[in-house]
Amino acid sequence: MFRWNEENQQAQQAVLTRPAVTASKEVEAICIDILNAVKTQGDAALLKMAKEFDKRETPRLLVPVEEINQAEQLLSNELKAAIETAYANVKRFHQAQLPKDIKLTTQPGVLCELKYQAIEAVGIYVPGGSAPLPSSVIMQGVLAQLSGAQTVVLTTPVKADETINPAILYAAKLCGIKTIVESGGAGAIAAMAYGTESVPKVNKIFGPGNSFVTMAKQLVAQTIPGMAIDMPAGPSEVLVIADERANPEFIAADLLSQAEHGADSQVILLCNSERIIEKTQQALTEQLAKLSRKDTAEQALANSSLILVDSVEQAFAVSAQYGPEHLILQLADAQPYLNLVKNAGSVFVGDYTPESAGDYASGTNHVLPTYGYSATYSSLNLLDFFRTYTVQTISKNGLRELSKAILPLAAAEGLDAHANAVSIRLEAMNNER
Amino acid sequence: MFRWNEENQQAQQAVLTRPAVTASKEVEAICIDILNAVKTQGDAALLKMAKEFDKRETPRLLVPVEEINQAEQLLSNELKAAIETAYANVKRFHQAQLPKDIKLTTQPGVLCELKYQAIEAVGIYVPGGSAPLPSSVIMQGVLAQLSGAQTVVLTTPVKADETINPAILYAAKLCGIKTIVESGGAGAIAAMAYGTESVPKVNKIFGPGNSFVTMAKQLVAQTIPGMAIDMPAGPSEVLVIADERANPEFIAADLLSQAEHGADSQVILLCNSERIIEKTQQALTEQLAKLSRKDTAEQALANSSLILVDSVEQAFAVSAQYGPEHLILQLADAQPYLNLVKNAGSVFVGDYTPESAGDYASGTNHVLPTYGYSATYSSLNLLDFFRTYTVQTISKNGLRELSKAILPLAAAEGLDAHANAVSIRLEAMNNER
């Protein structure tokens, strides 16, 4: 237990410091090679990697549409219904985010518009690795579908048996995704960034992944003009604020549900009761023993802290300083405190709102800024699949009046040609009379 | 004149290719040194640079509030009124962009919210260089003001006489900016990114600048967790689409108003009339001769192209391929074509809507994605000063029902602890009965 008020500022900062995440030069060099190979050789490079890395004898790149359509037959009724509920809730919440154009006359004869345009082609990466992640498809695919993007590409590595999990395929089907590429890692990112014979080139790439995926996304965003990625990536993290009446079993379960994500996950408890912290510590030990991902969770707990604070208000101040990806509030009545929330990605209010609700099915997005980026970055939302541009339409009289603002400013900035573009039009108007 | 339909695809691509912009390793090395100096020595490093680079004997860092307040006395009535009109129009258009929170019950007992929070501390860089840019203050300062950001820092280099142009100070005053730092280049970016004794640390840095400013912004965004910047920078550009009845004088004036920005600016005309292109060429020569920034504009014109297309529709297709920062439509009736606009930053409709209207005073923002980034990036808008986060509040019954979606998905993804965080709560509910 870390007693916040008994420590100096340096120790306080240290307990909130995240483990350093630095990509190795080796990962960077490998990614650059892969990007170049896919850029120059296209499909051939992807197929070669499928043979080498995935040990596929006769690899293929695209999942046939019939396979996507038939995947649901391989799912249990429970899982199928679960995917459908998650899809429906996420769709409902994000549909409410559909943007509206703005049209406004700023002064007579000067019409200004703000317009939203779906990003034309988007790519979604879904990690394979230790577990299939249908939730990751939903959290990104629903948004692409709602935006009306013309091209949606999903890339994901195959399992050892060379198939893609049917839960992923069914989630993709619900999201209307028809282009599913059997490719993972930096190669998949390269394929979407440059385009190949089989894989359409996209403008923006979404999705989490391992260090190769993260590095490849950074590299394409830095080197290809017009290419964008969703947000900076970092290890997952949760911060729980609990009061003296909170349930230590619930707290421990929430901390562990984050800790099992990865050994680099960080979990923090801020609590104003020494007794609850001690009981949480016990519950952690008991619950940990039963987990299949015990080792991972145990390593993550080693980076983590149970912190005693003086008050709930202080807990919110410490949380704002940390800026957690997930913020869970196990408080008797959280409402009065909600205006103290700062720099959090997603907030879970009350004893019966565990993080896993938002991870899967409440409707909010589980793609969230982490590693302190919640000070400036948004949780993934529908606008990430749109761009805005402006339009102005000015009448002759509108320009005549507006010239009184344009001409002195152009003169002050020493930009003759800017002034001339207006005065040449004013002259033309005067000549018309 | 480039005849689009008489050239092959390679030549077509070449004519739309932007001049390469690569930051030198030298610029990067200098910026890294400056960032480190400011990070470790704070104000002392800024003062040292003011002596060395700006040749100031007794440099100061902050502009006293009285100087900001009194600056308007140094302005002509015309310029003062111009700044006020620009401020009012930009404010009106961006005020209409103020976001509204969303609150939605996705299924009974499951309340989801999307909330907007102003980014707490923002920094605005305003270049000094060859001309003062009060418009640059307005285009960023108004948005910071409307967002309600707690901290707004403006940095700008002093002129040779060691003062800041009063037009900049007055624009800042209208925007409610009280912290104005006399510092330019990479040092100014470092000061805002790390904070110094005099300069508050910010979370997001906005504003254009020279290659040192651009590099410093990139470096702090890449290395400081949580730090964000506005958008990738690139040379300014305009594309004009004109029909057979367009006024060649107006076209030439618009092309030149872009060309005078910098030698690396790019200007493109797409027109379906050979006669209009020829007349525009003549008008360019005549108007160019009279400009004070003739040399700059002339160099920019060397990168630029007048392109003959078959039809207005084809012009829009070529424009979408290029993705211009500014798109000017000198068409008899542009309305039927507006749905063909793609990948443009800001659009100027009709013969009497020159780019300089948007650069200064129409109300739209003049900070726009360039260099092909308009395929994915938005023109600067009020939401760039906000971040979103989500909140969910689930009742006991809500969780009981939602568990039917969460538990199968957690099982499918092999995440026990995610499931446990729900089942432990269901058990507690059952025990209550």
Side-chain angles (χ1 to χ4, degrees), chain A residues 135-317:
Chain A
S135 62
S136 188
V137 178
I138 293 171
M139 292 295 173
Q140 302 175 92
V142 169
L143 283 62
Q145 185 177 33
L146 286 171
S147 77
Q150 278 181 31
T151 302
V152 183
V153 181
L154 189 152
T155 54
T156 190
V158 292
K159 295 182 293 178
D161 68 359
E162 302 198 22
T163 67
I164 292 174
N165 189 288
I168 288 181
L169 295 179
Y170 182 52
K173 182 194 166 189
L174 289 179
C175 298
I177 299 173
K178 291 179 183 66
T179 307
I180 301 179
V181 185
E182 296 186 347
S183 174
I189 302 301
M192 295 191 283
Y194 298 110
T196 71
E197 300 87 328
S198 301
V199 184
K201 175 178 166 36
V202 306
N203 308 119
K204 189 169 184 179
I205 298 175
F206 297 82
N210 62 19
S211 57
F212 292 93
V213 169
T214 300
M215 174 58 74
K217 280 172 65 187
Q218 281 174 19
L219 289 170
V220 298
Q222 283 163 23
T223 55
I224 305 178
M227 175 64 58
I229 57 174
D230 46 1
M231 64 178 81
S236 199
E237 57 201 26
V238 72
L239 187 149
V240 177
I241 297 180
D243 59 18
E244 62 287 343
R245 45 136 298 280
N247 184 326
E249 298 282 335
F250 294 3
I251 300 173
D254 287 346
L255 296 177
L256 288 170
S257 75
Q258 188 57 52
E260 76 173 341
H261 266 303
D264 56 0
S265 293
Q266 204 178 15
V267 308
I268 292 175
L269 169 65
L270 299 172
C271 182
N272 59 356
S273 155
E274 207 166 323
R275 192 181 60 89
I276 297 288
I277 293 180
E278 280 161 5
K279 290 201 164 185
T280 300
Q281 187 67 65
Q282 288 166 26
L284 277 171
T285 312
E286 286 164 26
Q287 292 181 22
L288 183 64
K290 297 177 206 155
L291 294 181
S292 61
R293 296 167 71 99
K294 175 175 183 298
D295 290 349
T296 303
E298 204 159 14
Q299 287 173 59
L301 287 180
N303 300 326
S304 302
S305 308
L306 310 185
I307 301 175
L308 179 68
V309 290
D310 267 2
S311 63
V312 173
E313 285 79 2
Q314 186 176 47
F316 277 91

Side-chain angles (χ1 to χ4, degrees), chain A residues 25-36:
Chain A
K25 284 280 158 196
E26 207 184 327
V27 169
E28 186 174 355
I30 293 171
C31 285
I32 289 173
D33 282 350
I34 292 176
L35 293 180
N36 282 334

Side-chain angles (χ1 to χ4, degrees), chain A residues 92 106 226 351 374 387 425, chain B residues 92 106 351 374 376 387 425:
Chain A
R92 208 165 281 137
T106 51
D351 293 337
S374 54
R387 52 176 299 273
R425 286 169 163 95
Chain B
R92 208 164 281 137
T106 51
D351 294 336
S374 54
T376 40
R387 53 175 299 272
R425 286 170 164 94

Side-chain angles (χ1 to χ4, degrees), chain B residues 101-419:
Chain B
D101 291 352
I102 294 171
K103 198 169 191 170
L104 187 77
T105 298
T106 51
Q107 67 178 58
V110 181
L111 177 70
C112 294
E113 297 171 77
L114 181 81
K115 287 178 167 282
Y116 288 87
Q117 192 160 49
I119 294 176
E120 204 165 81
V122 297
I124 296 170
Y125 185 81
V126 173
S130 51
L133 297 172
S135 62
S136 188
V137 178
I138 293 171
M139 292 296 173
Q140 304 176 91
V142 169
L143 284 61
Q145 184 176 34
L146 286 170
S147 78
Q150 278 182 31
T151 303
V152 183
V153 180
L154 188 152
T155 54
T156 190
V158 292
K159 296 181 293 176
D161 67 0
E162 301 198 24
T163 68
I164 291 175
N165 189 288
I168 288 182
L169 295 179
Y170 182 52
K173 183 195 166 189
L174 289 179
C175 298
I177 299 173
K178 291 180 183 65
T179 307
I180 301 179
V181 185
E182 296 186 347
S183 174
I189 302 301
M192 295 191 282
Y194 297 111
T196 71
E197 300 88 328
S198 301
V199 185
K201 176 177 164 38
V202 306
N203 308 120
K204 190 169 184 179
I205 298 175
F206 297 82
N210 62 20
S211 57
F212 292 92
V213 169
T214 300
M215 173 58 75
K217 280 172 66 187
Q218 282 174 18
L219 289 170
V220 298
Q222 282 163 23
T223 55
I224 305 177
M227 176 64 59
I229 58 173
D230 45 1
M231 65 179 83
S236 199
E237 57 202 25
V238 71
L239 188 149
V240 177
I241 297 180
D243 59 17
E244 62 288 342
R245 45 135 298 283
N247 184 327
E249 298 282 336
F250 294 3
I251 300 173
D254 287 346
L255 296 177
L256 287 170
S257 76
Q258 189 57 53
E260 76 172 341
H261 266 302
D264 56 1
S265 293
Q266 205 177 17
V267 307
I268 293 176
L269 168 65
L270 299 172
C271 182
N272 60 355
S273 156
E274 207 167 322
R275 192 181 59 90
I276 297 289
I277 294 181
E278 279 162 5
K279 290 200 163 182
T280 301
Q281 188 67 66
Q282 287 165 26
L284 278 171
T285 312
E286 286 163 26
Q287 292 181 20
L288 184 63
K290 298 176 205 152
L291 294 180
S292 62
R293 296 167 71 100
K294 175 176 183 297
D295 291 348
T296 303
E298 203 159 14
Q299 287 172 58
L301 288 181
N303 299 326
S304 303
S305 307
L306 310 186
I307 300 175
L308 178 68
V309 290
D310 267 2
S311 63
V312 172
E313 285 79 2
Q314 186 177 45
F316 277 91
V318 175
S319 170
Q321 190 180 334
Y322 179 71
E325 182 189 12
H326 303 93
L327 172 61
I328 298 181
L329 306 179
Q330 296 197 24
L331 300 172
D333 180 13
Q335 283 305 322
Y337 297 104
L338 289 182
N339 63 341
L340 298 179
V341 169
K342 266 188 199 170
N343 308 338
S346 193
V347 186
F348 300 79
V349 180
D351 294 336
Y352 288 87
T353 311
E355 188 200 310
S356 34
D359 287 343
Y360 290 120
S362 66
T364 63
N365 209 292
H366 80 194
V367 182
L368 302 168
T370 184
Y371 211 70
Y373 278 98
S374 54
T376 40
Y377 282 79
S378 297
S379 53
L380 194 73
N381 61 81
L382 193 58
L383 294 189
D384 290 316
F385 288 75
F386 283 87
R387 53 175 299 272
T388 64
Y389 66 99
T390 52
V391 180
Q392 48 251 291
T393 311
I394 305 178
S395 69
K396 286 184 187 175
N397 282 332
L399 184 63
R400 202 190 305 272
E401 193 57 28
L402 198 64
S403 70
K404 295 174 194 164
I406 304 169
L407 295 175
L409 277 161
E413 299 192 357
L415 296 173
D416 292 9
H418 279 63

